[in-house]
Amino acid sequence: MHAVFQPLTRHLVLTGDLKTDIQLFLSANQCPNTAKHCMDVGAEARRIALMFNADPAVAEIAGWLHDISAVFPNDERIDVAKQLDIEVLPEEEIFPMIIHQKISKVMAKEIFNITDQDILNAVGCHTTLRSNSSLLDRVLFVADKIAWDQEGSPPYIDDLNRNLEVSLTHGAFAYLHFLWERKETLKVIHPWLRDAYEELKDKVQLV
């Protein structure tokens, strides 16, 4: 395990049950709200996986893990990423929140011994999506947007749910389109998000 993770786990006794251990890890590191969000996204990912013939157990695990990097405050994330030899894009330097997806991917592998590359990849792009996204990537991306961690209902939720009835790709693109229409108000446009938007916009017609 990388040294940057050791203070987070030094006093933690893991049980061997992944769901329990993720909740223990987040709660012990003062992130109880994130623990709840991760459990909610896991449940939503399972539901969506069943709709679109993805593996529900794998999707649920990806949901549990996706935000475990919340234990690192925003102002520490770029330094943590560099310590982990994660490529830091200019957009991530400007808006460090986004790089949490990449840090969560490494943490899932090093702290929770996740070896399934599909899970790791989905965790690693759950905020932005990416081009050539996998089924699991899109399941987790959409689940995270439905089970969001803010007050009230997401402003895009009706469009997303309506398009999700057509296909998972339609649902994912509905959220990308929502952001794209407001791109001038965003701090950055992550290149992975831009790539995903450009790839999907010609493949789907929103309803």
Side-chain angles (χ1 to χ4, degrees):
M1 185 187 301
H2 194 282
V4 76
F5 299 139
Q6 290 176 3
L8 303 171
T9 59
R10 187 175 293 129
H11 303 296
L12 196 63
V13 178
L14 300 181
T15 68
D17 178 79
L18 183 61
K19 183 177 183 180
T20 298
D21 288 344
I22 290 167
Q23 293 178 88
L24 285 172
F25 172 79
L26 288 167
S27 296
N29 287 290
Q30 290 73 56
C31 293
N33 291 337
T34 301
K36 180 183 183 305
H37 172 63
C38 286
M39 297 305 108
D40 290 346
V41 173
E44 186 63 28
R46 170 177 280 275
R47 183 185 76 86
I48 294 171
L50 289 168
M51 292 170 59
F52 296 105
N53 297 314
D55 186 320
V58 168
E60 188 168 32
I61 290 170
W64 295 339
L65 291 162
H66 79 288
D67 269 357
I68 53 174
S69 58
V71 297
F72 293 109
N74 261 328
D75 60 1
E76 296 178 12
R77 288 177 182 172
I78 298 302
D79 180 60
V80 168
K82 290 177 178 177
Q83 289 185 57
L84 296 171
D85 294 323
I86 292 171
E87 179 187 12
V88 179
L89 300 174
E91 292 82 2
E92 294 161 343
E93 289 267 13
I94 295 168
F95 191 43
M97 187 284 290
I98 307 177
I99 207 165
H100 82 277
Q101 61 183 2
K102 296 179 179 178
I103 299 173
S104 286
K105 176 181 179 179
V106 177
M107 293 174 71
K109 183 176 182 179
E110 295 208 12
I111 297 176
F112 295 101
N113 301 311
I114 301 299
T115 58
D116 186 318
Q117 198 61 46
D118 288 340
I119 292 175
L120 295 173
N121 288 340
V123 169
C125 71
H126 75 265
T127 301
T128 60
L129 204 57
R130 57 175 178 155
S131 60
N132 300 310
S133 58
S134 71
L135 177 61
L136 183 60
D137 292 345
R138 296 191 295 277
V139 166
L140 180 58
F141 179 73
V142 170
D144 183 42
K145 307 311 177 279
I146 293 175
W148 82 331
D149 55 358
Q150 307 296 318
E151 293 294 325
S153 296
Y156 50 78
I157 194 66
D158 290 340
D159 284 343
L160 192 159
N161 282 329
R162 184 166 54 251
N163 281 281
L164 192 60
E165 292 178 3
V166 180
S167 76
L168 179 59
T169 299
H170 277 75
F173 184 72
Y175 178 75
L176 293 171
H177 182 69
F178 171 84
L179 290 184
W180 200 258
E181 287 195 318
R182 293 155 183 79
K183 63 181 183 295
E184 303 304 327
T185 69
L186 303 179
K187 291 185 179 180
V188 297
I189 300 292
H190 195 283
W192 292 7
L193 187 146
R194 182 186 299 274
D195 290 347
Y197 175 83
E198 294 292 344
E199 180 184 54
L200 297 183
K201 72 175 181 180
D202 295 326
K203 294 184 178 180
V204 303
Q205 183 173 357
L206 294 180
V207 298

